[in-house]
Amino acid sequence: MPLTAVVLGATGLTGNSLVTLLLHDNRFSKVKVLLRSPSLKQRPGLEAVIVDFDDEEGLASALHGDVLFCCIGTTIAKAGSKESFRKVDFEIPVRCATIAHRQNMQQFLLVSAVGANPASMNFYLRTKGETEQAIEKTGFSALHIFRPAVLLGPREEFRLGEWIGKFLTLVFYFLLQGRWRKYRPIKAVNVAKAMINAAINTPSGTHVYESDAIKELAGK
């Protein structure tokens, strides 16, 4: 039976690729995207729902489907403060996961980051790790966590830190071997492909994928 996908972060680099792929995948009959404001062109099979991510009642009304994909993410520079960053990268995913699980959604797929660790001294990586940890505690039948390194693809916005990271990792790409392979850059579209394949295979339990595993799951 065709599935209904719910996507958070549909306007970002990975989220945009994911929505496009889902709309062309006959295993999904509907793609529901939760947005703060109307920002996506209407396409067949796409349902855009405008939500206030602080409004739990409104989220409960919108979070109905089979698979919840979370591609939400920002930077501290763009958010303006650590507090605002945490609201986007921790509070929204965890709140949506909690509500979705309460409403019997079985699968949650999260884009995190390489190096995510709740014990990290780095605020960004610690927040990502705390998000993973909090969502795992909600109890989804299947939780898939994707930890890509630098994401490759066309962005509308310029991120200096990401550009520097991309440049350095591309220069030293073939030196990233062994335990360093997970820091190799990866195309955002391959992350999206891997997410869909994981959702269709639906193995139960918690699964963590880093760059090499993501590429393999994407079929690359």
Side-chain angles (χ1 to χ4, degrees):
M1 181 178 296
L3 303 171
T4 294
V6 182
V7 181
L8 310 174
T11 59
L13 184 59
T14 303
N16 186 58
S17 293
L18 176 64
V19 169
T20 299
L21 291 172
L22 288 169
L23 289 173
H24 289 86
D25 192 321
N26 58 17
R27 294 169 296 187
F28 292 86
S29 58
K30 180 189 291 187
V31 181
K32 185 188 298 185
V33 296
L34 274 54
L35 304 167
R36 295 179 186 274
S37 59
S39 52
L40 287 182
K41 181 180 179 181
Q42 184 58 48
R43 287 174 279 177
L46 180 66
E47 178 184 345
V49 183
I50 308 305
V51 298
D52 176 352
F53 285 103
D54 292 322
D55 176 12
E56 292 198 11
E57 185 176 339
L59 286 174
S61 177
L63 285 166
H64 289 282
D66 299 296
V67 186
L68 180 53
F69 296 91
C70 182
C71 305
I72 281 181
T74 186
T75 63
I76 296 174
K78 184 178 179 180
S81 67
K82 288 184 176 179
E83 293 74 16
S84 296
F85 168 82
R86 185 174 175 82
K87 182 172 183 178
V88 173
D89 277 56
F90 178 86
E91 292 182 16
I92 292 176
V94 173
R95 182 179 300 123
C96 289
T98 302
I99 294 170
H101 181 262
R102 188 188 304 150
Q103 300 188 156
N104 296 316
M105 291 186 74
Q106 300 299 308
Q107 288 198 71
F108 191 99
L109 296 97
L110 173 70
V111 177
S112 183
V114 65
N117 186 334
S120 176
M121 296 295 290
N122 178 281
F123 177 79
Y124 176 87
L125 296 178
R126 183 169 68 253
T127 302
K128 291 291 190 181
E130 289 172 347
T131 302
E132 293 180 5
Q133 188 177 67
I135 292 173
E136 185 171 7
K137 288 179 180 178
T138 60
F140 281 93
S141 296
L143 171 62
H144 300 274
I145 298 171
F146 298 81
R147 293 178 178 168
V150 175
L151 291 168
L152 303 176
R155 284 194 188 274
E156 292 185 2
E157 62 179 7
F158 176 74
R159 297 183 176 182
L160 178 60
E162 189 172 90
W163 183 88
I164 293 172
K166 183 187 301 183
F167 175 78
L168 292 175
T169 51
L170 286 174
V171 169
F172 296 105
Y173 185 89
F174 291 105
L175 297 179
L176 296 173
Q177 300 290 340
R179 66 190 182 95
W180 299 101
R181 287 178 65 89
K182 64 183 179 181
Y183 293 100
R184 287 183 172 185
I186 184 170
K187 292 179 181 179
V189 67
N190 285 341
V191 178
K193 288 178 181 177
M195 294 178 83
I196 293 173
N197 287 339
I200 295 301
N201 292 330
T202 62
S204 60
T206 298
H207 307 268
V208 179
Y209 312 91
E210 292 178 333
S211 287
D212 276 2
I214 294 172
K215 289 177 182 177
E216 183 177 349
L217 188 56
K220 296 294 181 181

